[in-house]
Amino acid sequence: MSFNTIIYEEDGPIGTITLNRPDDGNMFTVEMCHEMRDCINAIRRETRTRVVVITGAGDRFFCIGGRKEGMEKTILYAGVLPTLEMYESIDRLQKPVIASVNGFAVGGGNVLQVVCDLTIAKESAIFRQVGPMMGSFDAGYGTWYLEDLIGKKKAKEMWYRNPKITAREALEIGLINKVVPDDTLKEETRNFALEIAERGPFALASIKAAFNARHGGVSGLARVSHDLLLRPYLDTEESHELSASFAGKRKPDAAKFGK
């Protein structure tokens, strides 16, 4: 897959998406949001990749938020930076997504790593929410999901006071999963991803769907009942018998139900 603002690479069972705007802090643009969505949705439709890693180009920035330029002058959706396209695609993806934070994760960049299933960060990484300092805010994933990770009081402090949080502090409060030396981040991320890739993909998909059902409402429950349960059901004797009896215009053999 070829894109303008991101790079996608596969290494065995690991797919890596790199935010590729290092000269601008790897900030989101409208194009990047759509390319991230399209890339993740393509990964969703194949079975080669079992774990996805998201990181930033360079050694200074993971992502420091989003650029507001390039949007239409309207209060409708076309006038909003479409970050939800990325966040929702990560939630829908049945495969675990790991944020490999290689520098500053600020604003929407911190929300991105929060939305990922797991986060590994280098020692010098910094995490921060700055919306209220610069006339912006996140009213969805960046609040509810953040509260799930670190608790309501800490989440509110991140949004109200906007402190800079070191990788070690982030680990202590539960914002991230692992901290590694700066020069080993790439290697440690690969090892982290390979360990998870050895687990059963259907089991991992089921677990992720169960976690997401809490906030997903009807969509979250549908990811469990439709995406996970329908395909195995179609291989059961019950499904085959009902299909055959309907096509043959006869009563089904109930002895085959539940098998």
Side-chain angles (χ1 to χ4, degrees), residues 43-239:
I43 297 168
R44 184 180 171 205
R45 294 191 297 271
E46 48 90 350
T47 56
R48 299 183 307 275
T49 307
R50 296 199 295 277
V51 180
V52 175
V53 172
I54 297 177
T55 192
D59 59 6
R60 188 178 178 194
F61 303 108
F62 174 69
C63 174
I64 58 171
R67 287 283 177 202
K68 305 300 191 293
E69 298 86 356
M71 297 174 292
E72 293 188 31
K73 299 294 184 180
T74 173
I75 60 173
L76 299 176
Y77 188 68
V80 177
L81 187 65
T83 53
L84 295 184
E85 302 293 323
M86 297 183 296
Y87 304 153
E88 290 173 350
S89 65
I90 291 171
D91 261 357
R92 285 195 302 266
L93 184 66
Q94 291 184 329
K95 306 166 186 181
V97 180
I98 301 171
S100 181
V101 179
N102 58 307
F104 286 88
V106 179
N110 182 59
V111 177
L112 176 61
Q113 74 84 18
V114 165
V115 172
C116 291
D117 299 297
L118 300 165
T119 298
I120 182 172
K122 70 179 187 180
E123 190 83 44
S124 63
I126 296 293
F127 301 83
R128 195 179 193 189
Q129 292 297 163
V130 294
M133 297 177 67
M134 52 186 299
S136 183
F137 59 87
D138 184 298
Y141 286 91
T143 51
W144 282 31
Y145 279 38
L146 185 63
E147 180 185 344
D148 281 352
L149 291 182
I150 64 176
K152 183 174 289 187
K153 295 289 186 180
K154 271 294 182 183
K156 286 185 175 181
E157 182 180 358
M158 280 194 73
W159 278 104
Y160 293 177
R161 291 187 57 243
N162 317 116
K164 293 180 181 178
I165 298 174
T166 67
R168 287 291 169 188
E169 291 170 333
L171 181 64
E172 290 173 4
I173 65 176
L175 183 62
I176 65 176
N177 299 92
K178 188 173 184 178
V179 178
V180 299
D182 286 18
D183 60 354
T184 66
L185 178 63
K186 188 172 183 179
E187 177 186 359
E188 292 282 1
T189 299
R190 186 174 186 275
N191 292 338
F192 200 48
L194 284 174
E195 182 180 6
I196 295 169
E198 293 177 351
R199 308 303 187 253
F202 189 84
L204 291 176
S206 301
I207 292 166
K208 180 167 181 175
F211 275 115
N212 290 343
R214 177 168 174 250
H215 287 317
V218 65
S219 175
L221 292 174
R223 295 298 165 201
V224 177
S225 60
H226 180 274
D227 289 1
L228 290 168
L229 299 181
L230 180 57
R231 185 63 186 85
Y233 174 72
L234 295 177
D235 289 331
T236 63
E237 287 188 39
E238 175 181 311
S239 177

Side-chain angles (χ1 to χ4, degrees), residues 236-242 245 250-259:
T236 63
E237 287 188 39
E238 175 181 311
S239 177
H240 292 165
E241 172 60 16
L242 287 168
S245 65
R250 61 173 174 79
K251 285 188 175 182
D253 179 1
K256 295 182 178 180
F257 290 178
K259 296 181 180 180

